[in-house]
Amino acid sequence: FHLLFQSLRQLSQRTISTASRRQFENRVPEKQKLFQEDNGIPVYLKGGLMDALLYRVTMGLAVFG
């Protein structure tokens, strides 16, 4: 029973670790290129729609709060 439990545990750990490596790819170079591009957009808005929305909500709260 102990050997069965140990082998199942090793198998599950191996499966989880290989699956997580395959799922996530390194996207840091893409993000660096996007944020370092000189296109006149402030860095706090270069993340896209979510950044713009968060900025406007924050400014609204600061003005009306």
Side-chain angles (χ1 to χ4, degrees):
F1 180 73
H2 185 267
L3 285 173
L4 176 63
F5 179 72
Q6 187 177 10
S7 63
L8 283 174
R9 189 177 66 175
Q10 287 175 348
L11 179 64
S12 68
Q13 287 175 344
R14 196 174 331 141
T15 306
I16 291 170
S17 67
T18 55
S20 64
R21 264 188 264 139
R22 271 186 257 132
Q23 246 178 4
F24 301 107
E25 62 185 50
N26 186 6
R27 296 179 55 189
V28 171
E30 295 172 24
K31 293 290 184 182
Q32 283 177 334
K33 192 174 185 180
L34 172 73
F35 281 90
Q36 291 176 354
E37 185 178 332
D38 187 19
N39 56 6
I41 299 173
V43 71
Y44 52 87
L45 295 176
K46 285 190 177 188
L49 182 63
M50 226 24 216
D51 279 354
L53 182 63
L54 183 60
Y55 174 74
R56 288 190 178 128
V57 168
T58 303
M59 288 300 115
L61 287 172
V63 169
F64 296 113

